[in-house]
Amino acid sequence: MEPAHGLEELRRRAADCTACDLYKVGTQTVFGEGEVGAEVMFVGEQPGDQEDRQGRPFVGPAGRVLDQALVDVGIDRRRAFVTNAVKHFRWAPGGRGGKVRIHKKPTAEQVKACRPWLEAELEVVRPKVVVCLGATAAQALLGRAFRVSTEHGQWVEWPYEPMATATVHPSSILRAPDDDARRVAYAGFVADLALVAEAITGD
Ligand code: URA
C-alpha cells in the first residue's frame, strides 16, 4: 500500500476497498476511530450490525461493555483509537424471516485482505499499547498460534514498537450463560484492561 499522509486519507481510501468480497455485503467500510498519537489502540474483530449502520466501531452492545470497562479502569475512550481487524460486517440472514442480520466470523482470507489497513492505522496512529479484543484480532496481529484463553492479560513478545496484549472480546461477556458467569467474565476483562491502564499512565 502507498504510504498515507494521515488518517483521513486512509479513511477515504478504505471506503472504496474491494480487497475481499465483504464490501458487497457490508453497508460501508467501518474505519478506526480516534486520533493520531492515541496512547492505546483497541482492535476488535469486525463491525457488528449497529457499527455497520452507523459507520463507527464499537457503538453497539459490545461497545457499551467496552465503554463501561474503560470507565472502570480509568481509560478515556477519547484518548484511545478503536478499530477492527476486518472493516466490513460479515453477516447472514437469520431470524424474523431473514430480517435479522446474524454475525458471521470473518474467514482467514478476509482477515488477511484487511490487514494492510490495520497496519496502516498502526503506522499512522503510533500507539504506545495495542490491545487485541478476542481471538480474531489476536490471531490477526499476534499470530495464528495465539490463544486468548491462556495468554490474555500478558505482554506479548513481538518485534514491533507498541506494547501488545490481548483480552477477551466484550461480546463474549454478553454471551455468558448466566449472571454469575457474566460477572466473572467481566471482572477478568477489567483485570486485563487494568494492566493496560497502568502501562499508559505509567503508574
Ligand atoms: N464487535 C467488534 O469486534 N467490533 C465492533 O466494532 C463491534 C462489535
Side-chain angles (χ1 to χ4, degrees):
M1 183 182 298
E2 291 288 306
H5 295 295
L7 277 179
E8 282 320 305
E9 186 188 335
L10 275 179
R11 184 188 307 280
R12 268 196 307 278
R13 285 203 223 156
D16 297 327
C17 184
T18 55
C20 76
D21 53 0
L22 288 182
Y23 73 96
K24 296 179 188 161
V25 297
T27 305
Q28 56 192 314
T29 303
V30 179
F31 199 69
E33 194 173 79
E35 294 187 355
V36 169
E39 288 169 309
V40 52
M41 181 182 286
F42 291 97
V43 183
E45 181 188 78
Q46 63 170 352
D49 180 73
Q50 288 297 319
E51 289 79 11
D52 174 71
R53 292 175 200 276
Q54 295 187 39
R56 298 178 54 208
F58 281 103
V59 290
R64 287 192 280 282
V65 175
L66 176 63
D67 286 347
Q68 183 59 55
L70 293 181
V71 169
D72 288 354
V73 300
I75 297 177
D76 184 347
R77 177 159 168 170
R78 288 169 305 182
R79 285 170 56 203
F81 189 88
V82 180
T83 191
N84 284 297
V86 171
K87 290 174 173 51
H88 277 105
F89 181 33
R90 182 173 192 226
W91 61 278
R96 295 214 311 267
K99 288 209 178 99
V100 178
R101 303 192 302 170
I102 306 288
H103 160 276
K104 282 186 80 181
K105 195 173 150 62
T107 64
E109 289 71 34
Q110 289 160 345
V111 172
K112 191 167 163 212
C114 219
R115 199 186 148 100
W117 296 119
L118 185 55
E119 285 174 2
E121 287 171 314
L122 276 165
E123 212 169 289
V124 171
V125 176
R126 295 196 171 274
K128 183 172 173 189
V129 175
V130 181
V131 184
C132 300
L133 301 171
T136 300
Q139 290 173 5
L141 267 184
L142 308 175
R144 297 296 295 277
F146 191 91
R147 293 289 169 268
V148 174
S149 53
T150 53
E151 297 177 81
H152 68 94
Q154 299 170 23
W155 297 113
V156 174
E157 293 281 327
W158 76 335
Y160 308 105
E161 201 178 311
M163 296 164 72
T165 187
T167 185
V168 295
H169 192 285
S171 66
S172 68
I173 298 166
L174 295 171
R175 288 196 307 270
D178 55 45
D179 286 351
D180 278 351
R182 200 165 305 116
R183 263 192 294 277
V184 170
Y186 182 73
F189 184 49
V190 167
D192 288 350
L193 294 185
L195 285 178
V196 174
E198 213 178 288
I200 61 177
T201 54
D203 293 341

